[in-house]
């Protein structure tokens, strides 16, 4: 009953999902630490980025039973700033514009679970790994998750619930068959982050791991490698699995000259007008406001 209601509502919204037993979270809790210990994953990257997952969800909910992983199609958006009389446009890659999708999913889960007195909550989990292990998607050579009919332009979310789903979708990690004979993402990655001879990308060379944070850009990062207001699109743009979605644009967000000046000059978020704050939050850039002026200037320069 709950499974059918969830399926109907998520599919009507254009989303796909898989469910699996909560016990599997424990199975994968050591994946990243093992890779770091084996030297396959950079230890500093592991410490900084991969140690905050809630694999043990018992402190978040009494008796959690299942995990739901949801994939929603998401395309690039554009922001446009006006500065000193000139327009500057920049891409927001698909994964950043999440507030609208998250609200839609929350509404659906509320309508399905709350009426039946089951609960759900959203822990921090390695979403791509869960999507691949549950069969929702497959890894590409660029370590992104590809979902059928969405490509890598997908927003992933995972929730735990005290409802026990019958379906326990869990299996081996799958990689796209076409990666065997394709090197498009390797060739289009400006930094050399994607390796030909091993599966894990060199995360410490990925642009995303610099421009999402308030850290100095390394000397080896060439100015013309910057291509997005945050994150990087280069390996996704080159991938044949994304060719049907590459020109799709979800939204264009305009900041007028006054708003642009305040943002680019580093005005504190709370001192912006409510309207400007809403534009930033709805565009998914709220979490990245602290790096927005620097990133925009890198693109403008
Ligand atoms: S996101 Fe950019 S830097 Fe990172 S692997 Fe892809 S192309 Fe390379
Ligand atoms: S560009 Fe080619 S190698 Fe890279 S993820 Fe796509 S299919 Fe795989």
């Amino acid at each position: 009953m709950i499974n059918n209601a969830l399926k109907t509502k998520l599919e009507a919204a254009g989303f796909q999902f898989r469910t699996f037993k909560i016990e599997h979270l424990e199975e994968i809790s050591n994946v990243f630490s093992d890779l770091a210990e084996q030297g396959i994953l950079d230890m500093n990257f592991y410490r900084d980025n991969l140690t905050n997952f809630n694999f043990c969800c018992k402190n978040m909910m009494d008796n959690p039973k299942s995990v739901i992983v949801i994939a929603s199609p998401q395309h690039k958006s554009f922001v446009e700033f006006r500065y000193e009389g000139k327009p500057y446009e920049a891409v927001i890659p698909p994964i950043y514009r999440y507030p609208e999708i998250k609200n839609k999913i929350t509404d659906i889960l509320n309508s399905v679970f709350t009426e039946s007195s089951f609960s759900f909550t959203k822990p921090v989990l390695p979403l791509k790994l869960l999507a691949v292990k549950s069969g929702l998607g497959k890894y590409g050579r660029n370590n992104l998750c590809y979902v059928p009919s969405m490509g890598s332009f997908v927003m992933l979310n995972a929730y735990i619930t005290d409802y026990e789903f019958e379906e326990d979708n869990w299996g081996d990690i799958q990689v796209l068959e076409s990666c065997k004979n394709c090197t498009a993402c390797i060739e289009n990655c400006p930094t050399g982050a994607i390796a030909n001879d091993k599966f894990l990308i060199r995360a410490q060379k990925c642009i995303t791991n610099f421009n999402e944070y308030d850290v100095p850009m390394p000397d080896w990062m060439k100015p013309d490698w910057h291509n997005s207001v945050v994150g990087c699109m280069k390996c996704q743009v080159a991938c044949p699995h994304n060719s049907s979605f590459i020109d799709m644009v979800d939204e264009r967000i305009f900041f007028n000259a006054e708003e642009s000046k305040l943002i680019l000059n580093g005005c504190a978020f709370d001192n912006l007008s409510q309207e400007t704050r809403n534009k930033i939050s709805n565009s998914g850039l709220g979490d990245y406001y602290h790096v927005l002026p620097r990133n925009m200037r890198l693109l403008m320069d």
Side-chain angles (χ1 to χ4, degrees):
M1 173 88 171
I2 285 193
N3 191 50
N4 287 346
L6 191 64
K7 186 171 161 40
T8 305
K9 292 188 179 191
L10 288 175
E11 287 181 359
F15 303 165
Q16 298 177 32
F17 77 106
R18 292 285 186 284
T19 56
F20 59 84
K21 306 276 182 217
I22 195 89
E23 290 75 25
H24 296 304
L25 289 185
E26 265 181 41
E27 284 170 35
I28 56 163
S29 60
N30 293 327
V31 166
F32 296 115
S33 55
D34 288 351
L35 290 172
E37 271 164 30
Q38 290 165 34
I40 297 170
L41 197 64
D42 179 71
M43 188 53 93
N44 291 330
F45 179 79
Y46 163 70
R47 274 198 218 104
D48 293 347
N49 298 280
L50 301 172
T51 49
N52 63 340
F53 295 126
N54 303 117
F55 291 110
C56 179
C57 298
K58 294 192 174 121
N59 54 344
M60 298 183 77
M61 175 183 281
D62 287 339
N63 213 6
K65 297 272 178 53
S66 294
V67 181
I68 312 163
V69 194
I70 301 170
S72 320
Q74 172 100 318
H75 306 108
K76 65 184 171 191
S77 291
F78 285 97
V79 278
E80 188 179 310
F81 289 86
R82 291 203 75 81
Y83 196 63
E84 295 180 346
K86 282 202 267 176
Y88 293 90
E89 188 182 69
V91 175
I92 308 176
I95 60 160
Y96 293 98
R97 279 200 63 247
Y98 50 80
E100 199 183 319
I101 286 181
K102 237 159 95 178
N103 291 343
K104 205 183 257 184
I105 293 175
T106 306
D107 287 347
I108 292 174
L109 295 181
N110 265 328
S111 71
V112 171
F113 286 115
T114 318
E115 273 177 22
S116 356
S117 64
F118 288 102
S119 55
F120 66 92
T121 190
K122 191 174 189 314
V124 179
L125 290 168
L127 298 168
K128 284 183 282 183
L129 181 61
L130 296 189
V132 172
K133 291 284 286 176
S134 67
L136 187 59
K138 292 184 179 179
Y139 272 123
R141 196 196 283 275
N142 52 7
N143 292 191
L144 295 174
C145 173
Y146 286 76
V147 173
S149 76
M150 298 184 193
S152 66
F153 291 177
V154 60
M155 165 68 50
L156 296 170
N157 283 285
Y159 298 80
I160 56 167
T161 174
D162 48 4
Y163 175 77
E164 185 160 17
F165 283 91
E166 267 180 36
E167 282 199 31
D168 185 23
N169 296 287
W170 196 252
D172 293 336
I173 286 177
Q174 301 283 328
V175 178
L176 292 173
E177 187 67 17
S178 32
C179 293
K180 280 186 195 153
N181 299 310
C182 175
T183 52
C185 55
I186 298 178
E187 284 153 28
N188 216 40
C189 172
T191 67
I194 308 172
N196 208 349
D197 55 346
K198 62 174 188 168
F199 173 69
L200 282 182
I201 68 162
R202 291 183 276 262
Q204 66 276 21
K205 294 216 70 171
C206 182
I207 293 172
T208 302
N209 289 315
F210 294 95
N211 70 13
E212 282 189 353
Y213 304 97
D214 189 12
V215 295
M217 289 294 157
D219 294 341
W220 50 260
M221 184 86 74
K222 294 194 180 154
D224 62 353
W225 289 351
H226 298 288
N227 59 85
S228 302
V229 69
V230 65
C232 168
M233 287 284 288
K234 291 279 187 183
C235 54
Q236 299 192 75
V237 167
C239 180
H241 282 270
N242 286 332
S243 57
S244 313
F245 319 107
I246 203 71
D247 293 327
M248 293 186 182
V249 175
D250 277 354
E251 202 174 349
R252 290 181 179 273
I253 300 133
F254 294 93
F255 292 101
N256 63 30
E258 179 62 26
E259 291 173 316
S260 301
K261 192 171 165 192
L262 288 169
I263 293 168
L264 293 171
N265 286 342
C267 175
F269 186 77
D270 289 343
N271 293 339
L272 297 171
S273 71
Q274 185 62 52
E275 190 187 347
T276 312
R277 291 204 300 259
N278 287 347
K279 272 195 224 178
I280 292 169
S281 301
N282 295 339
S283 63
L285 295 175
D287 289 345
Y288 302 96
Y289 184 70
H290 60 299
V291 293
L292 197 53
R294 179 205 57 192
N295 290 2
M296 271 313 295
R297 283 182 189 282
L298 285 170
L299 292 169
M300 289 159 70
D301 288 347

